[in-house]
Each structure stands twice: as C-alpha cells, then as structure tokens.
Amino acid sequence: MDQDYYLELSDRPVLFEKATSLNCVFFDEANKQVFAVRSGGATGVVVKGTEDRNPISFRMEDKGEVKCIKFSLGNKILAVQRTTKTVDFLNLIQDYSQLEYSQECKTRNARIMGFCWTSSTEIVFITDQGIEFYQVLPEKRTLKLLKSQSINVNWYIYCPESSVILLSTANLCNVLQPFYFRGGTMSKMAKFEMELPPTTTKSLKISERDIAMATIYGQLYVLFLRHHSKASNSAGAEVVLYHLPREGTCKKMHILKLNRTGKFALNIVDNLVVVHHQDTETSVIFDIRLRGETDGSVTLHQPVLPARSIHPYQMPVAGPSAVVGQVPAPCRLYSSSWIVFQPDIIISASEGYLWHLRIKLQPIVHLLPDKGKLMDFLLQRRDCKSVILSVCSQMLSEADRQSLPVIATVFDKLSSEYKRYLDAEHSYTLAVETSQGRSSMLLKPPVRGQAVIDQSDMYTHVLCVFTEVKEAPHKFIIAVLMEYIRSLNQFQIPVQHYLYELVIKTLVQHNLFYMLHQFLQYHVLSDSKPLACLLLSLESVYPPAHQLSLDMLKRLSTANDEIVEVLLSKHQVLAALRFVRSIGGHDCASARKFLDAAKQTSDNMLFYTVFRFFEQRNHRLRGNPNFTPGEHCEEHVISFKQIFGENALLKPSAS
C-alpha cells in the first residue's frame, strides 16, 4: 500500500508549543518562523524556523494582546502589532537599547490590518485605506516614511519570494492591485480583475482564503480557488491561475479542474500545484507544464494522478506522559485545525507541528502507465535522476518490457533535455570567451539539474546492465542500443565511443559478425581511434576486423601515425611503407622505425627491400644514399653489410 502515497509530510517537523488560551501561535511567511507567545510575551516568546534548528527565546513586556509578530529579514529587529493604530519595534542587536519604539500609521482613521518586512530594515503597513512603506532606523529608534498609496483594502496577501503584496479592493473583492518592493522602492504593478463564478445571488465575495500567490516554474502566479456554483455548468470547483508579470498586464493562463466540491487548500511543491480536499481527506496534483486542452489563451488541466491521501504520519509521544516502547500516535491528516502556507508548509497549531509537504516520485511510476507522459512529468522534478534511470531500466526488463516506439520516445525526451543543457553550456563558454574583464564575471554558468541524463549515466546505470541480461533477446538488445544512438544523432549530440564499443561487444558476443560488418560498412558506427583499436583486438575471432580497422583509421585523417604503428606491429612493413607513400609522408618517415620492424621479421629479402627504399630516398633528397648520424641506423648498415656484402650498398653518385 505504501507505493500509492505520492505526498508525504517531512520527517523532521518543527515542533512548537501548541496553541492554548495562554499560548498564541503566529507564523511569519517571509522568515518561515513560528512564534509561540505566552501571556503576551511576559512569560516568554519562543521562535523556531524551518531552516534554523536553534530556537530564539526572549521576553517582552505584556502590553496587551499580540495581533501580529515578525522579525525583520536577518532577525535583527522585532515588530509587534497590538493595536489597529500602531506597530511596536524592538532592536535585538546587542549594541542598541532594548527599549521599544512605535510607529503609528500616517493615514487618519485608518486601521492597520497587518505588516510585512521586505528587507532587514524596510517594512510595509497594510491598512484598510492603503499601504505605507517605511525604512526602519534602528540606531535612531525611529521610522522614515518612504512612500504611501491610498486605496480601499478588503484584505491582502504577501509573497516574500517575489516581494509582491496583493491588495483586494472593490465591493466584491475581485479587483486586485499588486505592489512590488525592492531596494527601498515601491512599484505599482498593473491592476487586474478576476472573473467571478456565475451566481444567483449578488452578495458573493472573494475571500482571501481562496487566493494564493506563488512562483511556479520561475513565474509568479495568483491562484484563485473558484468554488462550484449551481448557476454554472461546471462539474465542480476549479483553480484559476493568473500570470502576474513584473511589467505588463496580468493574464488568465490556466484552469485546474477539481471535479468536486467542498473545502480545499492549496500548496506548491516542486512546481506542482497540490490541492487538498478536506471532505475526502485526499489530495491531487497538477503540472501546468504538461499538455492540456487549450483554446489558444487558456489551458485546461486535469489532475496528473488519481486522488490519494498524504502518507500516514506517526507522531512520537513526548513529554512526561511518554513511556518507553510506547507506539507513536497516528496524526489526524486533513484536520480542520490545519493551516497551509505557501509554498509547501502545513501547520497544526493544535498539535504544535510544522511540516514541509514533499512529493514522492517512485510511487508515481506505478500510477502513470503512459511512459511518455511519465517522462515529461519526471523531467520537471527536482530530484528525478535516480527515478528516471530506474524507469529506463524497468522498461527494458522482461517483466515490464516496452515496445521500441515507446523506448524511442523516452530516449528522445532525455536527449532533448541533454541537448538543451549542452547548448546552454556552449553559449556560456562562447560568452565568456568573447566578453572581457568584469562583464565575464557577471555571467552565470548553466545549472546542471538532475533532469540532464548524459551518455555516461545511461551507459553505466542502464545500458551496460541491460546488455548483461541473459533472458533478453540479442536482437532486442542491439535494437535498443541503436535506438539510443539514433536519438543522440537526431539531436546532434556527439556519440561517445564507449556506446559504439558496447554495440560491437554485444554483436561479437552473439557472433553477429555480418551485422557488425554492415554497421561499419554503412558508417552506422562513427569512426574513432578507440573504435579502430577495438576492431584490431577482434582480429583473432573475426579476421576481417583488421582491415575494417585500417579502413577506419585511413578515414580518420588525423590517425596516420596510428595506422603505421598498427601495420608495423602486425609485421606488415611493406603495407606500412605503401601507406606512408600514399599520404606523401615518406620523405620524413623514420628509417630506423621501419628497419627495426623489418629486422624483427627475420625476412632478409624484406630487410633488403626496406633498406634499399630508404637508400634511394636519401639519394633523391640529399644526393647521397648514406644515412646521416641523426637517423641512428648504424647497426642496420652493419647488418646489411654482413648479410649482403659491402658492394650491395648504393654508391654516392659522382659529382
């Protein structure tokens, strides 16, 4: 049953004191910190972050009920809202005073709805009448107003990853005004209106609970959970995604069909939109990169997988009631006390737990039988490499063997991703070479994600293992290897010689020499020196391999020295000489190398022929047949005299 759960809660949650009448719990989305405030802070405040495992503890004077509490980015300044008019500040930097200082909102009769830190010293107050952007000056214990904007506000949401605050305005709350904050500046982005579902009543308003803002595939989206309406033809609720660019207008881009009604909550995990359904205690996932129905501007998406519950979670029993060996208590999933925050946080205030939601890829392999769609899905995930390689191995195995067209589709998807990375790497290298000085330092090399499955990965983890499988038909093995090589060639990726070597070894192993000959004859296997050397080593089992090797080396114009060495090692001295003459290299060829090889054959006539060839060369080049001292041929001259007599030596021509 474990294989069915594709979502899970993180195994190392942040534990905090559960919410009670005396202990109030707050969450700061920017710093991802949980604040447990006891008795207004008088008996202690404990702050725990998802990244930082060391909690921050301090006390503050109880000046009334805390409505909101957050640290600046970097945890140097604490901001606390206790009233609708002011926000109090406390410097936690050692050098400064621990005295609180306050800032009242500037707009008269305005009510502070909340605040957001946008940097270590910049903060935004959101009131029912607009927003006020301040710079905090901790050493002066005061604030400076940088900019303000008047607008009627119903509610707001903040996306710290993109530093965008979204304000809801208009009577039906469906007009949204985004603001972008960076480096002390506040920029007003394009206002947009969200389509309300058709309804029989006019009192329907959009709630902030139905809106989320998150970055998906590097783009900022506003997600609107549009509930099912009896007046509409829709079969259920849907999530509408509006793309929110930094400049330009906001556009409706995607609709996620939920096909059910009830209470929902949204998370974003690894660029997937996760929709939790409380009534059925299940979740579904959507991937906006996958193909859907489109009318040219808006794409409709169905859930990628069947609805499943989050993997059951066991909460360890802790505290004074814990007994050694006591069985952990199961956590109540999809509890009404759960609160979700973007992108992937789930908090149970009543239990005192904060989890990150995670995706489990391995179970998805069994739930998505379409290998092409599965590969499209996996290639977009962060930790996909090992799963992709296991899918490739699995589709070649006897138990789950796929057809060649399916295998080809998978290979092409991998090659496409691989090629994209190689092109990016090439462009980066060119840019670095052409740019100078500081501009080259600003260039960022492409990040090699786990979706880049290169030839080495496939060779080591998939193809090598596959060729060793005894049960696999050898024709199928060859077809798969050639299919991968075809895919690499199609995407203009240079094929590494070890893949060709694997093909050749597999052909030889199954005595398919006729096929090997055809592959080489029709250049299905690309020429390379390592391949030629492998062919030479096969001469004992397949004699024509020797000539095939030489032909390959000849085609490699840079391999002339290797050809000569190969021929000499085979004692084919005259063939080596003929080859050197054919490429015009005989004038500078080493006489000693050829004479050494000829002498080793113990064939006197061969030795005579080679010796005479170089005498004639010397005579043609220098007018004298004798060898120069630099050629180191003295011992061969002595041998020649001993075998054929001194008179057999060519005489210098008379001047």
Side-chain angles (χ1 to χ4, degrees):
M1 190 63 185
D2 249 22
Q3 65 182 23
D4 259 8
Y5 301 111
Y6 52 79
L7 290 167
E8 65 179 357
L9 302 173
S10 52
D11 50 8
R12 291 186 67 211
V14 175
L15 306 180
F16 56 89
E17 191 175 337
K18 61 182 71 172
T20 63
S21 57
L22 292 175
N23 184 59
C24 295
V25 175
F26 301 89
F27 181 66
D28 173 10
E29 290 182 82
N31 288 312
K32 305 288 185 278
Q33 291 171 326
V34 180
F35 285 74
V37 183
R38 292 192 298 273
S39 306
T43 54
V45 178
V46 179
V47 187
K48 287 189 174 183
T50 58
E51 300 300 325
D52 184 14
R53 291 285 159 182
N54 298 319
I56 301 169
S57 299
F58 58 91
R59 293 189 181 194
M60 58 187 189
E61 193 179 336
D62 184 1
K63 293 183 179 178
E65 181 193 350
V66 174
K67 295 181 181 295
C68 186
I69 181 168
K70 295 174 186 177
F71 273 127
S72 62
L73 303 187
N75 300 336
K76 295 289 192 292
I77 308 167
L78 181 71
V80 186
Q81 183 191 349
R82 298 184 176 95
T83 72
T84 57
K85 291 292 180 186
T86 61
V87 176
D88 301 322
F89 294 86
L90 182 65
N91 294 336
L92 293 183
I93 309 167
Q94 292 177 350
D95 300 346
Y96 302 140
S97 163
Q98 293 294 306
L99 294 172
E100 285 189 9
Y101 49 103
S102 301
Q103 177 64 50
E104 191 172 327
C105 64
K106 296 288 185 185
T107 313
R108 195 177 172 187
N109 299 325
R111 180 174 56 86
I112 298 175
M113 305 171 77
F115 61 86
C116 304
W117 286 98
T118 59
S119 78
S120 58
T121 55
E122 289 161 357
I123 192 167
V124 183
F125 291 4
I126 300 95
T127 74
D128 57 354
Q129 294 180 35
I131 55 174
E132 300 172 4
F133 184 35
Y134 291 95
Q135 182 181 12
V136 183
L137 306 168
E139 65 280 3
K140 294 182 179 178
R141 296 175 55 245
T142 185
L143 277 76
K144 174 187 173 186
L145 181 66
L146 298 174
K147 200 170 183 181
S148 64
Q149 177 85 40
S150 293
I151 180 173
N152 288 329
V153 181
N154 301 309
W155 45 259
Y156 74 96
I157 57 171
Y158 177 47
C159 180
E161 286 76 21
S162 56
S163 290
V164 172
I165 292 177
L166 198 61
L167 305 180
S168 159
T169 185
N171 290 337
L172 297 176
C173 307
N174 64 322
V175 177
L176 299 179
Q177 174 64 65
F179 290 88
Y180 170 61
F181 298 85
R182 182 169 185 178
T185 61
M186 179 177 89
S187 308
K188 190 177 184 180
M189 297 164 70
K191 183 190 291 188
F192 66 100
E193 185 174 337
M194 288 194 297
E195 295 174 27
L196 291 166
T199 177
T200 51
T201 64
K202 293 185 178 180
S203 59
L204 183 70
K205 291 185 178 183
I206 294 177
S207 162
E208 63 189 291
R209 288 193 303 273
D210 296 330
I211 301 291
M213 203 170 19
T215 301
I216 306 171
Y217 291 117
Q219 300 295 317
L220 182 62
Y221 288 91
V222 175
L223 292 81
F224 170 34
L225 180 56
R226 196 157 65 182
H227 290 279
H228 173 67
S229 164
K230 290 178 182 176
S232 74
N233 298 321
S234 172
E238 54 194 25
V239 178
V240 185
L241 271 69
Y242 292 85
H243 178 227
L244 187 58
R246 191 70 44 80
E247 293 174 1
T249 56
C250 183
K251 289 182 183 175
K252 182 166 76 167
M253 301 286 286
H254 302 274
I255 296 176
L256 316 181
K257 305 297 284 182
L258 303 182
N259 306 317
R260 51 180 58 172
T261 60
K263 290 183 180 177
F264 299 94
L266 303 173
N267 275 130
I268 308 295
V269 182
D270 201 2
N271 292 311
L272 296 167
V273 180
V274 182
V275 184
H276 308 291
H277 188 229
Q278 192 178 17
D279 298 354
T280 58
E281 297 188 356
T282 58
S283 304
V284 287
I285 58 174
F286 294 87
D287 188 347
I288 62 172
R289 278 266 173 99
L290 295 184
R291 214 173 279 165
E293 294 177 46
T294 181
D295 62 3
S297 60
V298 180
T299 307
L300 262 66
H301 299 268
Q302 296 293 338
V304 177
L305 301 165
R308 290 289 185 271
S309 168
I310 295 170
H311 193 288
Y313 186 85
Q314 301 293 321
M315 293 195 297
V317 180
S321 60
V323 178
V324 177
Q326 189 170 347
V327 179
C331 172
R332 169 78 199 280
L333 300 177
Y334 301 92
S335 164
S336 57
S337 68
W338 275 19
I339 308 165
V340 300
F341 292 94
Q342 301 313 320
D344 60 356
I345 286 169
I346 295 174
I347 292 178
S348 173
S350 61
E351 298 286 354
Y353 276 75
L354 179 153
W355 298 279
H356 285 282
L357 187 65
R358 299 193 303 209
I359 185 92
K360 293 167 68 179
L361 296 181
Q362 197 61 52
I364 293 169
V365 174
H366 309 288
L367 293 168
L368 206 54
D370 182 333
K371 290 290 186 285
K373 190 176 180 183
L374 173 64
M375 207 49 66
D376 286 338
F377 177 84
L378 291 176
L379 284 168
Q380 304 297 338
R381 307 287 71 82
R382 193 170 44 236
D383 301 319
C384 61
K385 190 168 201 167
S386 62
V387 181
I388 287 174
L389 291 170
S390 75
V391 169
C392 290
S393 294
Q394 188 183 318
M395 72 179 182
L396 303 178
S397 67
E398 192 175 16
D400 192 27
R401 187 167 296 153
Q402 300 294 308
S403 65
L404 273 177
V406 170
I407 292 166
T409 299
V410 170
F411 285 165
D412 285 349
K413 290 180 186 297
L414 296 180
S415 297
S416 174
E417 197 69 32
Y418 181 23
K419 175 64 172 172
R420 192 178 297 122
Y421 172 74
L422 291 176
D423 287 347
E425 199 176 45
H426 179 65
S427 300
Y428 168 73
T429 305
L430 283 179
V432 169
E433 288 171 357
T434 53
S435 61
Q436 294 178 341
R438 291 186 63 187
S439 59
S440 65
M441 295 171 68
L442 299 173
L443 296 168
K444 289 185 178 179
V447 177
R448 181 174 179 142
Q450 289 209 8
V452 179
I453 309 290
D454 63 20
Q455 298 173 65
S456 171
D457 295 323
M458 286 296 289
Y459 175 80
T460 306
H461 301 288
V462 180
L463 300 176
C464 262
V465 180
F466 169 58
T467 56
E468 298 298 321
V469 175
K470 297 285 188 288
E471 299 79 30
H474 59 261
K475 286 186 179 177
F476 180 66
I477 293 175
I478 298 297
V480 168
L481 294 176
M482 296 313 298
E483 200 56 63
Y484 184 57
I485 288 170
R486 188 263 331 145
S487 180
L488 293 171
N489 284 325
Q490 184 175 316
F491 286 90
Q492 299 176 314
I493 300 169
V495 181
Q496 295 297 320
H497 65 84
Y498 47 74
L499 288 173
Y500 291 135
E501 287 175 16
L502 190 59
V503 173
I504 291 173
K505 285 174 182 174
T506 307
L507 290 168
V508 170
Q509 191 179 342
H510 296 284
N511 294 318
L512 299 170
F513 296 112
Y514 70 93
M515 196 180 282
L516 170 61
H517 209 111
Q518 285 183 319
F519 281 176
L520 292 165
Q521 197 172 356
Y522 295 106
H523 309 298
V524 175
L525 306 178
S526 297
D527 298 343
S528 72
K529 291 179 187 178
L531 212 58
C533 293
L534 176 63
L535 286 171
L536 276 178
S537 69
L538 298 174
E539 189 182 4
S540 58
V541 290
Y542 184 56
H546 174 68
Q547 190 57 45
L548 289 167
S549 169
L550 285 183
D551 292 343
M552 184 178 287
L553 287 169
K554 282 179 187 174
R555 290 193 296 270
L556 293 164
S557 56
T558 57
N560 294 333
D561 291 342
E562 282 86 348
I563 295 173
V564 172
E565 293 296 339
V566 166
L567 291 169
L568 292 179
S569 69
K570 297 288 180 184
H571 306 301
Q572 296 182 19
V573 185
L574 292 181
L577 268 180
R578 281 194 291 272
F579 175 73
V580 168
R581 284 186 67 177
S582 71
I583 61 168
H586 54 297
D587 286 353
C588 54
S590 166
R592 179 175 174 170
K593 180 190 289 187
F594 284 85
L595 290 169
D596 283 346
K599 193 78 188 295
Q600 286 173 6
T601 63
S602 301
D603 182 340
N604 287 343
M605 285 314 298
L606 177 62
F607 180 64
Y608 180 89
T609 304
V610 174
F611 193 92
R612 181 67 80 219
F613 173 85
F614 282 104
E615 276 190 316
Q616 290 170 345
R617 181 197 71 169
N618 294 344
H619 190 275
R620 179 170 51 81
L621 292 177
R622 298 194 296 270
N624 190 327
N626 296 337
F627 294 95
T628 62
E631 291 180 278
H632 305 293
C633 293
E634 293 82 358
E635 62 178 282
H636 293 301
V637 173
I638 293 168
S639 295
F640 188 86
K641 288 178 184 177
Q642 288 173 346
I643 300 169
F644 304 107
E646 192 161 344
N647 291 333
L649 291 168
L650 274 181
K651 301 292 186 285
S653 55
S655 48

